[in-house]
Amino acid sequence: MRIKSCIAIGTLLTLSLTACGGSAPGGAAPASPDASGTIKIGSIHPLTGALAFDGQQMSKAIKLAAKAINDSGGIKSLGGAKLEILDADSQGKPEIGQSEAQRLTQAGAVALVGPYQSAVAAQVATVAERNKVPFVIDVASADDILKQGYTYTFRLQPSSDTLGRYGARYLKDLADRTGQQITKVAYLHEQTDYGSSTYESFTDEAAKLGLQVGPRITYDALKAADLTTELTKVKAAGVDALAVTGYYRDGLLTAKAIASVQPGVKIVLGVSHGAFSSPVFPRDGGAAAEGVYDSNFNYDATKPESKAILDAFQAEYGEELRFIPFTSYECVRLVAAALEKAASRDPAKIREALAGISFDTLMAFDGPVQFDESGQNENATPIVLQVQDGKVVPVHPAAKAVAEPRPAAE
């Protein structure tokens, strides 16, 4: 069953990979990649520690993507060469991520994918640039990562600026569509660059829309054991809505605290949240999860290829694939498309292929993956999902939705 699932995905996705092919762009090789055998791709994620479950799913998704590509004939412009995934555990620590990135490049990785945390991504990017090895960020949104003039670092997902601004716009859209008046918004977020940069862009955009943001409440996602005190502050502020940015584990703490404190808000909106769009959040979050929204990047649920990947992951690992690891899966497909286009194992030529690529992704973006001069995917945008009847479903904008948004009371 597992073999058949991967072959089926490969059949569905082969066309989009080969369609990206072209002549090999120029570029000097920084090393001498093995001209035969497997093509090594480094995967860096938190496989242990507080973020381990998501990190492990990201690693599994990357391996599943490589298996599907290999089962479909490998990289055809390189004679059917197969992909090999080299795993690394960042432990959620920037310094470990940096040393592991160096180890992977020395082991012959021609590209790196990862790493889930912005602080880790900033360190991995320095290694990629120094070694001239392409680094494709699957999840890490802080704006500063791509403001360093890097040429070997690329990001598939939206930036924090995009996520924050769309979050504010979508909050107003949701209020209008559900007939609720929203003027005051509390913002709860984890305290690193990921949460802070998303908050800042949300607040800036909210002001343009006539929304008042405050209080701002922060917490340490790696150490938090309870968020009741934080939600009590939200309740005391008498706000209309609560915006939240965080990871999965602390997202469950937020849901638990909402159920306990009953802050009385009309809308709870995740803004690039690591929990609220997860298919297992309704189960883990219980009754408090029902009606919660999340403005976030996600796969396109209207495409049959997306369902094929979800089914194959379930068959292979006995788990539901979350939206964040789905992004990791897409990054491997993206690197494979760049390899096809480059027709080379040379990291410099792979980098040139990525810089000029137009890749049809299964993410619910506004267009194909195309990178601007900074390395940001310029068509990456979020959608809104909501927990309805125990399931997470896309509800906004209409072109990507499979259901209508509901007021929280329903």
Side-chain angles (χ1 to χ4, degrees), residues 34-374:
D34 185 3
S36 62
T38 60
I39 299 172
K40 297 179 175 64
I41 297 174
S43 168
I44 308 174
H45 296 93
L47 305 180
T48 57
L51 304 176
F53 188 86
D54 279 331
Q56 290 169 11
Q57 269 218 339
M58 295 167 91
S59 172
K60 291 173 182 176
I62 282 173
K63 292 171 184 173
L64 186 67
K67 186 179 191 320
I69 291 164
N70 290 344
D71 288 348
S72 297
I75 306 302
K76 295 173 180 60
S77 66
L78 291 172
K82 307 300 185 185
L83 303 181
E84 177 186 355
I85 303 302
L86 306 181
D87 241 347
D89 180 11
S90 71
Q91 302 176 32
K93 300 174 183 177
E95 68 277 12
I96 300 296
Q98 183 180 51
S99 62
E100 285 296 276
Q102 185 63 41
R103 178 181 68 81
L104 293 176
T105 58
Q106 291 174 345
V110 300
L112 303 174
V113 175
Y116 192 32
Q117 297 160 279
S118 293
V120 177
Q123 297 303 314
V124 174
T126 63
V127 175
E129 296 296 320
R130 182 170 63 247
N131 288 277
K132 294 186 173 7
V133 171
F135 170 37
V136 180
I137 297 173
D138 49 12
V139 179
S141 62
D143 298 316
D144 286 348
I145 299 169
L146 296 182
K147 291 183 177 179
Q148 312 304 316
Y150 293 152
T151 58
Y152 276 80
T153 302
F154 303 87
R155 179 162 52 203
L156 181 69
Q157 70 151 100
S159 67
S160 289
D161 184 68
T162 297
L163 290 165
R165 293 186 185 282
Y166 270 83
R169 295 171 199 165
Y170 285 161
L171 175 59
K172 191 170 189 313
D173 289 346
L174 291 170
D176 292 342
R177 290 188 65 183
T178 57
Q180 300 179 96
Q181 185 175 1
I182 302 293
T183 58
K184 296 190 294 183
V185 186
Y187 205 115
L188 173 69
H189 69 84
E190 66 84 39
Q191 65 188 14
T192 70
D193 285 349
Y194 155 52
S196 296
S197 56
T198 307
Y199 161 81
E200 288 164 3
S201 57
F202 178 97
T203 301
D204 183 68
E205 190 68 18
K208 299 175 185 176
L209 299 170
L211 299 174
Q212 178 185 337
V213 181
R216 175 189 188 181
I217 306 165
T218 64
Y219 63 90
D220 186 335
L222 299 181
K223 296 180 180 179
D226 182 88
L227 293 175
T228 301
T229 299
E230 287 76 6
L231 265 295
T232 301
K233 293 177 183 178
V234 174
K235 183 174 183 176
V239 296
D240 305 306
L242 170 63
V244 191
T245 299
Y247 294 102
Y248 193 83
R249 188 186 69 87
D250 45 298
L252 295 182
L253 294 177
T254 300
K256 182 179 179 181
I258 289 172
S260 174
V261 175
Q262 295 290 313
V265 296
K266 300 172 185 176
I267 291 178
V268 176
L269 173 70
V271 184
S272 180
H273 204 286
F276 297 169
S277 295
S278 170
V280 297
F281 175 64
R283 179 197 68 201
D284 295 344
E290 190 67 23
V292 170
Y293 294 101
D294 192 27
S295 172
N296 217 329
F297 57 95
N298 210 295
Y299 58 83
D300 191 337
T302 68
K303 294 184 177 180
E305 296 95 333
S306 298
K307 186 177 186 306
I309 292 170
L310 299 178
D311 290 346
F313 192 90
Q314 180 73 46
E316 184 76 14
Y317 299 112
E319 302 170 4
E320 286 187 271
L321 179 61
R322 302 182 183 188
F323 75 98
I324 285 175
F326 196 105
T327 311
S328 304
Y329 188 105
E330 283 296 271
C331 283
V332 176
R333 291 186 61 233
L334 173 64
V335 172
L339 282 161
E340 289 285 8
K341 181 180 180 182
S344 174
R345 300 165 182 260
D346 182 343
K349 292 183 179 180
I350 299 168
R351 179 262 164 211
E352 290 298 321
L354 283 167
I357 207 162
S358 181
F359 173 70
D360 290 330
T361 181
L362 296 177
M363 302 300 291
F365 293 158
D366 277 351
V369 175
Q370 295 175 327
F371 296 107
D372 63 20
E373 290 185 358
S374 74

Side-chain angles (χ1 to χ4, degrees), residues 10-30:
T11 302
L12 282 167
L13 303 184
T14 295
L15 181 60
S16 63
L17 289 176
T18 56
C20 295
S23 59

